[in-house]
Every structure is written in C-alpha cells, then in structure tokens.
Amino acid sequence: MTDAALVIGAGPAGLMAAETVAKAGCKVIVADAMPSPARKFLMAGKSGLNLTKDEDPAAFAARIDGFPALAPVLEGFGPAEVMDWARGLGIELFSGSTGRVFPTAMKASPLLRAWLARLEKSGVELRPRWRWIGLEDGFRFDTPDGPTNLHPRATVLALGGASWPRLGSDAGWVPILEQAGVGIAPFKPANMGFRVAWSDPMHRHFGAAVKGTAIHAGPLSSRGEWVITRHGIEGGGIYEIAAQLRDGAAGHVDLAPDLSVETLARRFASSPGKQSLGNRLRRALGDPVRAALLMEWGRPLPGEPAQLAALAKALPLRHNGPMGLDRAISSAGGIRAEALTKDLELRALPGTYAAGEMLDWEAPTGGYLVTACLATGQHAGHAAARRVMG
C-alpha cells in the first residue's frame, strides 16, 4: 500500500483524518483494534452528544489548555465548521441555553452511521481488530489473519488517550513511540470526579443532584450541576474545575451564589430555634442536599448566623483525590508539543502525524473535547494528503 495513507484509530480524530485524506483523492485504510469503530464516541453520546459549543472562536480556543499549537488548528475547524459538517451528514442540531450544541436526536449513533456510510462511499477501507504492535519493517499489526506489515506513504495516528481503556483508549501505543524517540508526557485523568469518604448521614443522598451552587478552584469557577455518588462527587459542575483540583488548588463551594452573605445570615437568624439544626439549614438554604453538604464539610459549624453564612458562601470542598483514568471522561498528557511540527507531524517519524487525545492537551466537557479531536484529525489529514499526493 505504498500509494495509500494509513490511519490508526477509528475514533472521531481518526475518522476525520480519513475523510480529509479521501477527499483529496487518496486511498485510505483505517485500522482499529476494536471490533467496531468509535466506541468511546458512542458511549459519550448515550446521554446526549455534545458536539461543540456555539461561542466566539477565540473564547472557544482559550478553553483548550496545554497545547498552544492547537489555536491555529481550531481556526481552520472550529464550532461553526463542526456544525456545518454535522448538517452535511443530514444531522439536525440545536443549541442549549449555554451554547452547547447537540444533535436533535441527542444520540451519537445516527451521526456515526451517516458518517461511516459516507466514508465507505468515498472508498475508505475499515479494518477492525487490527492492533498496532510495532514499527518493525513498517507498521506492524496483529490481525485476525496473523501479523501483517503495512508501508504507507503517510500515516495518521489517532489512538486516543488513556481514559476508558475498555473502549479502546488503552495507551498501548506509548512504548512504541517512546522507543522511536517521541517525547510523551505522563497521562493523568481529566474531566473526572473526586473521591470522598462520606459519613453515614450522607448515604441517603447518594445519587442526588447538587443544584444552585458555584464551585471555585484556582482561577476557575462553575455553576453547573454535580452529583453525590457512593464514591464521591462527579458531574459537569465538577469537571469544569477538575484540572485545578487535581493539580492541588483548594476548592470552595458557594451554596447560595445568588444571595449575599448578609441576606443568607438573616435567613439563618430567622429560622426557628426550636427546630433541629438540619431543618434550620434546609429552611435557610431551601435544599436538603446543600444543607447536608454544609453539615458534612463545615463542621464544627459556627453558632453565629453571620459566621454560618460566610461558611456557606465559601464551604471547603473536601476530597481524597481524583478518580482514576478508568473512570475519567478524558485524559491529560500524551505526545508533547515539541515532538511535533505545526502540521502535527512527529519529528522522530517523518511522514507520521498525530491527532486527538494522543496529544498533550486537555479541555473541559461542553463540546470542546469532540471539536478539538475533529479539528486535529482534519489538520493531520490535510498534511498526510499533501505528502501522499506530493
């Protein structure tokens, strides 16, 4: 296949790279270790596929952290281009109140089916159960028919990061690239929950959504909902500030972000003294879950209403560290920026490009992850096509 391009990895970044190369008129083979493509993409779309966020491109790019070279990549394929691409597949979209963009059908499966059909029509060849195992005599694979070597003119690596390994992103490629001289930053969880050793009274709140709070950690803040689970705290509100918490910043929860300290103090003061402490807190905060968090993380509670209000407005978020990569939505770490050219070509392996979560960047949930994977896939695909055609 010396006249063809090879894409390793059939997630969003890999499929976008394959589509881009095929549009240039090149033959493309997509190899993937899993029995079917885009398993993590499908999992992400089960509860509503957040494709992108409809916001100013500069503001959007600013949320992609740790990889400055991605800014020009996103200029070529940002939120507007992602929406146009999805509509080109026949997928109707809508924007939520926060600007997050979803397919009207919410799920990822209709989009993926339409995408795979278009790729097949363009001549892209998908080879499932092909696991990349080395660089001996080209690109060596373990396949259902035994070991196979390919010698493409250009290759795009899009094997994912290290989160949700059972869906295919197991970082098995790291030793191969490190042996080839590619710099790799260690992986760590991103967009993950945090472990909490709850006291017995909190057990009744497992599964409860925490609404109407603001969480602050370092320079970041979040007004999103989050969830109390048996293992700790999870959900969009947590993921927004997860990187800061993971890296050591102290977290604080404002249990009444729309009230001033003075107003909240008056509420605490007006609660009937004959009521139990729990009932007084629930009455003042208007929510049993927030009251439970105040009692869990705020003890010993001050007796004065003003001090109690100040604590409720800056309640320490107490946790026992982040959950692991197996439960994280995404991962930070991967191929270091200095190991790549502006075309996302590996300096140690000319003619080989990388895209998606293999790169050392991270972003919050909310459409940033999917868009950056698609954008880097397209960017690497353009470079690979130029090499094949040139």
Side-chain angles (χ1 to χ4, degrees), residues 355-383:
E357 280 195 65
M358 294 183 74
L359 309 182
D360 182 18
W361 60 275
E362 66 176 306
T365 56
Y368 302 99
L369 291 167
V370 174
T371 295
C373 285
L374 293 171
T376 54
Q378 187 194 69
H379 193 82
H382 280 308

Side-chain angles (χ1 to χ4, degrees), residues 257-271:
D258 297 320
L259 300 178
S260 66
V261 173
E262 294 76 17
T263 300
L264 188 56
R266 287 195 294 271
R267 287 193 178 187
F268 285 133
S270 65
S271 297

Side-chain angles (χ1 to χ4, degrees), residues 61-88:
R63 299 303 303 274
I64 313 296
D65 185 46
F67 209 105
L70 289 186
V73 173
L74 289 165
E75 288 178 5
F77 201 76
E81 289 77 16
V82 169
M83 288 186 279
D84 288 342
W85 167 80
R87 293 187 183 106

Side-chain angles (χ1 to χ4, degrees), residues 41-64:
F41 183 67
L42 288 172
M43 175 66 77
K46 278 191 172 182
S47 58
L49 178 62
N50 188 185
L51 271 176
T52 192
K53 188 169 184 180
D54 189 5
E55 67 179 356
D56 176 75
F60 187 96
R63 299 303 303 274
I64 313 296

Side-chain angles (χ1 to χ4, degrees), residues 32-128:
D32 193 271
M34 302 302 285
S36 57
R39 291 197 166 194
K40 188 177 175 183
F41 183 67
L42 288 172
M43 175 66 77
K46 278 191 172 182
S47 58
L49 178 62
N50 188 185
L51 271 176
T52 192
K53 188 169 184 180
D54 189 5
E55 67 179 356
D56 176 75
F60 187 96
R63 299 303 303 274
I64 313 296
D65 185 46
F67 209 105
L70 289 186
V73 173
L74 289 165
E75 288 178 5
F77 201 76
E81 289 77 16
V82 169
M83 288 186 279
D84 288 342
W85 167 80
R87 293 187 183 106
L89 287 168
I91 303 299
E92 296 183 5
L93 306 173
F94 74 94
S95 297
S97 58
T98 62
R100 295 185 177 191
V101 178
F102 301 85
T104 302
M106 292 299 287
K107 296 182 179 180
S109 50
L111 185 151
L112 181 60
R113 283 196 299 270
W115 195 7
L116 291 174
R118 189 163 76 182
L119 289 170
E120 183 179 12
K121 188 176 180 180
S122 68
V124 172
E125 180 182 342
L126 180 62
R127 296 187 181 179

Side-chain angles (χ1 to χ4, degrees), residues 122-353:
S122 68
V124 172
E125 180 182 342
L126 180 62
R127 296 187 181 179
R129 295 188 174 91
W130 275 47
R131 178 174 292 277
W132 182 38
I133 57 174
L135 287 166
E136 300 82 12
D137 186 24
F139 289 82
R140 187 166 180 81
F141 293 87
D142 183 11
T143 81
D145 299 319
T148 299
N149 287 36
L150 298 180
H151 303 84
R153 293 193 65 180
T155 300
V156 177
L157 304 178
L159 291 110
S163 66
W164 286 95
R166 66 182 180 85
L167 299 178
S169 299
D170 59 6
W173 51 269
V174 170
I176 301 173
L177 292 188
E178 284 186 327
Q179 189 174 4
V182 178
I184 309 290
F187 281 110
K188 51 188 177 181
N191 291 298
M192 66 291 172
F194 288 79
R195 299 188 303 273
V196 178
W198 299 114
S199 65
D200 289 343
M202 288 297 295
H203 291 193
R204 70 172 69 96
H205 299 292
F206 289 168
V210 184
K211 303 178 181 181
T213 67
I215 310 175
H216 305 277
L220 301 181
S221 62
S222 168
R223 290 290 299 263
E225 293 184 15
W226 42 293
V227 179
I228 296 170
T229 73
R230 180 178 305 275
H231 303 287
I233 51 177
E234 301 186 54
I238 296 297
Y239 304 152
E240 284 279 332
I241 47 84
Q244 289 290 320
L245 290 180
R246 179 199 63 209
D247 294 342
H252 295 86
V253 184
D254 185 343
L255 296 173
D258 297 320
L259 300 178
S260 66
V261 173
E262 294 76 17
T263 300
L264 188 56
R266 287 195 294 271
R267 287 193 178 187
F268 285 133
S270 65
S271 297
K274 62 182 179 180
Q275 290 186 344
S276 68
L277 176 61
N279 285 335
R280 289 171 57 201
L281 297 180
R282 283 193 291 272
R283 179 185 176 95
L285 291 169
D287 176 40
V289 177
R290 282 181 281 161
L293 286 170
L294 180 56
M295 289 188 285
E296 180 74 5
W297 286 338
R299 291 185 184 275
L301 293 175
E304 292 296 321
Q307 295 176 334
L308 188 59
L311 176 62
K313 294 286 289 180
L315 180 67
L317 192 161
R318 307 187 189 281
H319 64 86
N320 301 110
M323 296 180 184
L325 283 163
D326 59 328
R327 293 178 61 90
I329 289 178
S330 59
S331 57
I335 300 173
R336 298 182 184 274
E338 57 268 26
L340 295 156
T341 71
K342 64 179 182 179
D343 285 335
L344 304 182
E345 183 178 21
L346 295 172
R347 297 184 188 277
L349 293 170
T352 301
Y353 308 82

